[in-house]
């Protein structure tokens, strides 16, 4: 109680003296006094941050969005998709509000040539609109938005307020889809990789601030975690500890707990992991995260825009999103099952205090005050507009009906596969994908993949155990009979020719598996990338 009173007394004194400064020396001096003078006074952190916040809010009012003051209302993916006609009207209205770089009023951000080259791109847009302008095809409306904002740059959120609005709304819709509360926030990025890089940067910087004694920060992740988590650890100087998964290919919660040490600053898991389409036991991992006070990142790049609808359709999906209280952040790709063009993902945080660690700032540049929320500096406006249009055009109804269609195709493919002697589905996948394995030692699944490729299919190889990843997409409806027939035939071919498992990619993977020194294999991968992009 005493402390409480004291705090208020202190606050009153501070406010009185601040008013004095303001009256005597004006606003700028007040800001200086506040930030410089009071920064280290105990208990004043909150006052400073709220003043800074209101300064920022005033600043933002210079470029209002959403037709009103600073703030936008929260938003859900609409229940029913908005008609393409309506969306086109919105597109025109927004293009009209946004600054037109062709008028020469801005001096950066948008680099366009007003010449044949520019006209060519514009013609493509006009042709497109003319040809498809009345179409009710999802991809076409997304493309129209994409083309309409092709030259706009989201680097500076003050220049193109409509882009800022669209990004904020995309994030708001994503937050509500993932059951975040009103505090959930995020940013758009260019893809899953950038989203995960940003999450790792965020939690590294958080740990630096909160636990400065940790010199060698570590991430703990199941073996099935997408390699981008290792890439992020590599880029940002962290160590990643991989933990073996259980026989069901899910993160082993006990083993994860055992791996936690004094340097652990982040745990990661997936919804679902890409290899086999299986969701990790995230509720349990969330409890673990809370128990040890460690943030938990859920990589839902693959499933973020699919699992919510699969669950709503009535399928068994374990809880994995912000409903699990230990989940700190989620990455979800809009350019996968969000049905947007490539280059759109969301990195979501439980609250804005976490998100702040993502923002890079630089105040010393002669070119002005600089801040940037993600890896990219210039951020393509086209991808933000396309993502926004994709979500609004489909609406919940559209996403649900696509999810149902894809779950039906998945079910019938899985059933067909199980009927082929020698083939099996790995574990119990949760959504629109599965990994194809073999349950017969005479059927080497990677050799089956090699034979399938001679028939024109492109197969995705998993290792440990060998299997084939299949993500299901709408066009698989038409090809599913053929793929099953060719699989059955390929299995027979492999069974009757033992030599095949020593050849092709089956042979390469087999040989690689016998090399204990993974450095050699990494050198091989480096050589591969170096050579394949070389002119001969
Ligand atoms: C696709 C994917 C990523 C990486 O995303 P990109 O968009 O390829 O950069 C990360 N994790 C999972 C689970 C994915 O499916």
């Amino acid at each position: 109680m005493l402390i409480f009173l004291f705090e208020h007394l202190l606050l009153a004194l501070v406010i009185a003296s601040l008013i004095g400064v303001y009256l005597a020396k004006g606003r700028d001096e007040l800001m200086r006094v506040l930030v410089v003078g009071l920064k280290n006074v105990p208990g004043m952190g909150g006052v400073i941050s709220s003043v800074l916040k209101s300064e920022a809010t005033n600043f933002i009012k210079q470029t209002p969005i959403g037709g009103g003051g600073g703030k936008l209302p929260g938003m859900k993916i609409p229940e029913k998709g908005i008609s393409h006609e309506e969306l086109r009207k919105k597109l025109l209205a927004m293009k009209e509000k946004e600054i037109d770089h062709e008028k020469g009023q801005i001096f950066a951000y948008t680099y366009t040539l007003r010449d044949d080259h520019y006209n060519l791109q514009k013609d493509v847009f006009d042709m497109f609109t003319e040809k498809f302008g009345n179409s009710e095809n999802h991809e076409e409306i997304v493309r129209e938005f994409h083309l309409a904002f092709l030259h706009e740059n989201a680097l500076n959120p003050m220049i193109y307020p409509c882009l800022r609005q669209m990004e904020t709304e995309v994030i708001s819709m994503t937050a509500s889809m993932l059951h975040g509360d009103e505090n959930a926030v995020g940013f758009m990025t260019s893809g899953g990789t950038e989203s995960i890089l940003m999450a790792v940067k965020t939690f590294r910087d958080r740990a630096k601030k909160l636990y400065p004694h940790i010199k060698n920060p570590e991430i703990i992740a199941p073996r099935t975690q997408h390699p981008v988590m290792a890439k992020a650890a590599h880029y940002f100087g962290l160590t990643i500890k991989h933990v073996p998964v259980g026989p069901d290919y899910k993160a082993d919660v006990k083993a994860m707990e055992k791996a936690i040490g004094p340097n652990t600053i982040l745990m990661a898991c997936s919804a679902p992991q890409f290899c086999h389409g299986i969701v990790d036991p995230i509720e349990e991992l969330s409890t673990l995260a809370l128990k040890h006070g460690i943030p938990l990142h859920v990589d839902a790049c693959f499933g973020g825009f699919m699992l919510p609808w699969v669950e709503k359709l009535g399928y068994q999906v374990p809880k994995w999103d912000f409903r699990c209280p230990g989940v700190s952040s989620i990455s979800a790709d809009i350019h996968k099952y969000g049905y947007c063009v490539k280059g759109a993902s969301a990195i979501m945080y439980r609250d804005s205090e976490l998100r702040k660690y993502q923002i890079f700032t630089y105040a010393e540049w002669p070119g002005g005050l600089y801040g940037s929320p993600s890896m990219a500096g210039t951020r393509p406006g086209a991808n933000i507009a396309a993502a926004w249009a994709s979500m609004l055009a489909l609406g919940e109804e559209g996403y649900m009906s696509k999810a149902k269609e894809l779950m039906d195709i998945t079910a019938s493919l899985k059933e067909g596969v199980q009927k082929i002697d020698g083939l099996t589905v790995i574990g119990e996948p949760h959504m629109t994908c599965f990994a194809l394995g073999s349950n017969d030692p005479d059927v080497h699944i990677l050799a089956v993949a090699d034979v399938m490729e001679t028939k024109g299919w492109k197969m995705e190889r998993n290792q440990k155990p060998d299997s084939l990843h299949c993500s299901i997409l709408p066009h698989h409806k038409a090809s599913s009979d053929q793929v099953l027939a060719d699989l059955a035939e390929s299995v027979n071919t492999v069974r009757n020719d033992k030599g095949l498992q020593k050849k092709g990619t089956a042979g390469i993977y087999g040989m690689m598996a016998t090399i204990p020194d993974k450095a050699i294999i990494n050198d091989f991968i480096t050589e591969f990338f170096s050579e394949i992009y070389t002119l001969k």
Side-chain angles (χ1 to χ4, degrees):
M1 187 63 188
L2 250 181
I3 292 171
F4 182 72
L5 269 179
F6 175 73
E7 270 188 353
H8 279 255
L9 194 66
L10 191 65
L11 194 63
L13 278 172
V14 167
I15 289 171
S17 63
L18 289 179
I19 292 171
V21 173
Y22 182 72
L23 292 176
K25 304 205 166 159
R27 195 161 171 284
D28 291 352
E29 184 59 17
L30 173 67
M31 281 302 295
R32 204 189 63 76
V33 167
L34 262 178
V35 176
V36 181
L38 294 180
K39 203 171 162 197
N40 297 318
V41 177
M44 280 301 109
V47 180
I48 294 175
S49 85
S50 70
V51 169
L52 287 177
K53 199 170 173 177
S54 88
E55 281 298 306
T57 316
N58 280 334
F59 185 57
I60 292 163
K61 277 186 188 145
Q62 291 174 26
T63 58
I65 49 176
K71 298 236 160 160
L72 290 169
M75 193 166 157
K76 285 184 179 175
I77 294 178
E79 214 164 286
K80 285 189 189 301
I82 297 174
S83 78
H84 290 195
E85 196 189 326
E86 184 89 356
L87 275 173
R88 272 186 199 102
K89 273 192 204 146
K90 283 180 185 285
L91 173 63
L92 291 177
M94 276 188 301
K95 280 299 278 183
E96 223 145 74
K97 264 195 265 170
E98 212 77 316
I99 191 159
D100 181 354
H101 56 262
E102 285 181 51
K103 288 191 184 148
Q105 293 165 317
I106 51 173
F107 297 92
Y109 305 107
T110 305
Y111 298 80
T112 39
L113 301 167
R114 282 298 286 132
D115 64 0
D116 290 353
H117 176 73
Y118 180 87
N119 290 333
L120 177 77
Q121 296 185 38
K122 205 164 170 314
D123 285 352
V124 173
F125 176 59
D126 292 343
M127 238 164 54
F128 199 82
T129 322
E130 238 167 69
K131 190 165 164 205
F132 301 110
N134 299 313
S135 155
E136 283 298 297
N137 180 310
H138 178 75
E139 271 179 26
E140 280 144 18
I141 191 81
V142 168
R143 273 249 324 255
E144 277 178 47
F145 272 79
H146 191 254
L147 283 165
F149 286 89
L150 205 51
H151 292 273
E152 276 76 346
N153 184 346
L155 166 58
N156 181 338
M158 305 293 278
I159 301 292
Y160 291 113
C162 285
L163 276 186
R164 187 170 97 235
Q165 175 177 352
M166 286 191 270
E167 175 168 3
T168 309
E169 290 181 347
V170 163
I171 292 301
S172 178
M173 289 189 278
T174 307
S176 113
M177 178 183 74
L178 303 178
H179 298 97
D181 63 17
E182 69 283 0
N183 298 314
V185 288
F187 285 121
M188 278 187 71
T189 70
S190 62
T193 296
E194 194 182 1
S195 286
I196 290 166
L197 286 171
M198 293 336 293
V200 169
K201 183 240 181 259
T202 292
F203 292 109
R204 182 201 63 177
D205 288 0
R206 176 182 177 272
K208 252 189 205 167
K209 183 167 177 200
L210 301 186
Y211 316 109
H213 60 280
I214 298 183
K215 301 294 178 230
N216 301 303
E218 276 175 10
I219 305 171
I220 294 175
R223 187 74 260 175
T224 45
Q225 198 72 32
H226 191 284
V228 64
M229 192 55 75
K231 185 178 179 180
H234 175 70
Y235 277 15
F236 293 123
L238 288 84
T239 305
I240 183 163
K241 257 199 206 167
H242 283 111
V243 178
V245 292
D248 52 4
Y249 300 93
K250 294 177 186 169
D252 178 339
V253 181
K254 280 210 179 90
M256 292 278 282
E257 180 160 32
K258 265 204 187 136
I260 295 174
N263 291 330
T264 309
I265 61 131
L266 178 65
M267 285 201 297
C269 59
S270 311
Q273 38 97 327
F274 185 80
C275 325
H276 319 102
I278 295 168
V279 178
D280 283 321
I282 294 171
E283 261 192 300
E284 290 87 336
L285 290 170
S286 150
T287 308
L288 199 61
L290 290 177
K291 178 176 156 197
H292 293 272
I294 297 167
L296 176 63
H297 177 77
V298 177
D299 177 359
C301 285
F302 188 34
F305 278 81
M306 177 55 77
L307 288 172
W309 320 119
V310 171
E311 181 185 339
K312 270 202 170 175
L313 285 169
Y315 291 91
Q316 274 295 321
V317 177
K319 275 205 183 60
W320 64 272
D321 58 17
F322 285 121
R323 281 172 290 183
C324 302
V327 170
S328 322
S329 57
I330 299 175
S331 46
D333 286 355
I334 315 167
H335 66 199
K336 286 181 184 152
Y337 286 117
Y339 311 108
C340 177
V341 291
K342 293 289 172 285
S345 171
I347 172 66
M348 307 297 303
Y349 296 95
R350 183 170 284 281
D351 60 52
S352 61
E353 283 310 307
L354 284 175
R355 186 179 68 166
K356 280 181 187 167
Y357 292 107
Q358 185 177 316
I359 301 163
F360 172 79
T361 57
Y362 193 71
E364 308 286 340
W365 188 35
L369 299 180
Y370 184 91
S372 158
S374 57
M375 297 290 280
T378 288
R379 300 200 298 145
N383 297 24
I384 294 172
W388 186 84
S390 186
M391 290 164 84
L392 288 184
L394 283 170
E396 201 172 310
E397 206 175 68
Y399 278 117
M400 290 284 281
S401 86
K402 291 221 177 281
K404 170 149 193 353
E405 184 188 337
L406 294 183
M407 285 302 279
D408 289 347
I409 304 173
T410 308
S412 83
L413 270 175
K414 279 198 288 196
E415 205 184 295
V417 160
Q418 313 266 31
K419 280 190 196 140
I420 300 172
D421 188 26
L423 291 188
T424 184
V425 168
I426 304 273
E428 288 173 35
H430 290 99
M431 57 172 236
T432 51
C433 77
F434 56 88
L436 204 55
S438 155
N439 53 11
D440 177 346
D442 286 338
V443 178
H444 192 297
I445 194 72
L446 299 186
V448 172
D450 289 339
V451 178
M452 284 294 278
E453 293 199 340
T454 66
K455 298 177 191 291
W457 304 97
K458 295 274 179 220
M459 307 308 288
E460 293 301 316
R461 291 155 181 87
N462 286 335
Q463 56 175 345
K464 305 173 185 189
D466 291 337
S467 52
L468 306 175
H469 166 96
C470 309
S471 283
I472 304 309
L473 295 155
H475 43 257
H476 289 129
K477 190 170 198 157
S479 63
S480 61
D481 286 347
Q482 193 59 49
V483 77
L484 289 173
D486 284 353
L487 272 172
E489 216 176 273
S490 304
V491 165
N492 272 336
T493 309
V494 169
R495 202 178 255 130
N496 295 326
D497 183 351
K498 296 283 175 298
L500 287 175
Q501 48 180 284
K502 298 245 154 22
K503 292 185 191 147
T505 59
I508 291 176
Y509 270 91
M511 184 191 60
M512 294 288 176
T514 64
I515 302 174
D517 183 358
K518 295 301 168 214
I520 297 171
I521 302 173
N522 286 323
D523 286 347
F524 164 78
I525 301 173
T526 305
E527 283 302 321
F528 169 81
F529 273 94
S530 170
E531 280 305 304
I532 201 166
Y533 289 102
T534 304
L535 293 173
K536 281 274 147 44

